[in-house]
Amino acid sequence: MSSEHPIVRDPNGPVHSPVRGSAPRPETPDWGINLRISAAGFTARRITLTPTVLADSRAFVRGTLARWGYFTRLDDAALIANELIGNAIQHSPIPHDYANPVWVGLIRSPHYVLVAVVDHSPVPPGLNALPGIGESGRGLLIVQNLADDWGWSATATGGKTVWAVLKTWPLR
């Protein structure tokens, strides 16, 4: 997992940052642990709201998939992450800040890559009717057309995880 500061788990309390002393840090989603995936097959990054958030997230996804050797679906995964992160930022009624972060995670297996975005909004994603010449409303349609499967699930903390699966072998 990439982060500005390392996260230290205290078995007797909340997650803390050694840089900030005892200030609680939000938990990192434990997808890898819950899915019994080794650290080599999982990575996640906390999304920081900056003017370059989407470009930085696409670079993170592309760089990770390139290191893993999944070149055939690299651009699809980056675009899917871009759309899911954009949706999480734009449509959530809960402000994204230090206490309510958005996370992007990548999981690999020999046959697929899973892209997941976690936010603290309970509002489920929804496909819109084709918006005509409008400038928005196509994100999940893009995800649906690029991914081999996609969906969402509620998190234990009241938010949601929106995910997309990209087959890496055999290619479609």
Side-chain angles (χ1 to χ4, degrees):
M1 173 181 52
S2 299
S3 180
E4 292 177 11
H5 306 291
I7 293 176
V8 176
R9 292 188 185 275
D10 179 352
N12 300 316
V15 175
H16 298 277
S17 167
V19 175
R20 296 186 188 269
S22 62
R25 286 204 56 171
E27 285 283 339
T28 304
D30 286 330
W31 305 313
I33 293 169
N34 294 338
L35 297 172
R36 293 178 174 79
I37 297 171
S38 72
F42 170 77
T43 188
R45 175 171 283 181
R46 183 175 167 269
I47 301 301
T48 303
L49 295 181
T50 65
T52 61
V53 62
L54 294 176
D56 295 344
S57 298
R58 288 190 306 269
F60 166 70
V61 170
R62 283 189 179 106
T64 300
L65 267 61
R67 280 190 303 281
W68 287 347
Y70 290 116
F71 298 101
T72 57
R73 302 302 301 269
L74 194 139
D75 290 329
D76 292 344
L79 184 53
I80 287 170
N82 187 80
E83 295 300 330
L84 296 181
I85 292 165
N87 283 350
I89 292 168
Q90 181 178 3
H91 298 296
S92 176
I94 298 171
H96 301 290
D97 55 23
Y98 191 74
N100 299 302
V102 173
W103 287 87
V104 60
L106 301 168
I107 299 172
R108 71 173 172 171
S109 84
H111 303 289
Y112 69 86
V113 169
L114 183 132
V115 178
V117 173
V118 176
D119 66 54
H120 286 273
S121 170
V123 179
L127 286 168
N128 296 326
L130 191 58
I133 60 171
E135 293 182 11
S136 64
R138 293 180 177 81
L140 290 177
L141 293 172
I142 292 170
V143 171
Q144 181 177 21
N145 283 292
L146 291 177
D148 293 292
D149 193 13
W150 78 277
W152 71 279
S153 60
T155 64
T157 58
K160 68 180 171 297
T161 301
V162 183
W163 53 266
V165 174
L166 297 164
K167 289 182 183 175
T168 56
W169 186 262
L171 296 176
R172 54 180 169 150

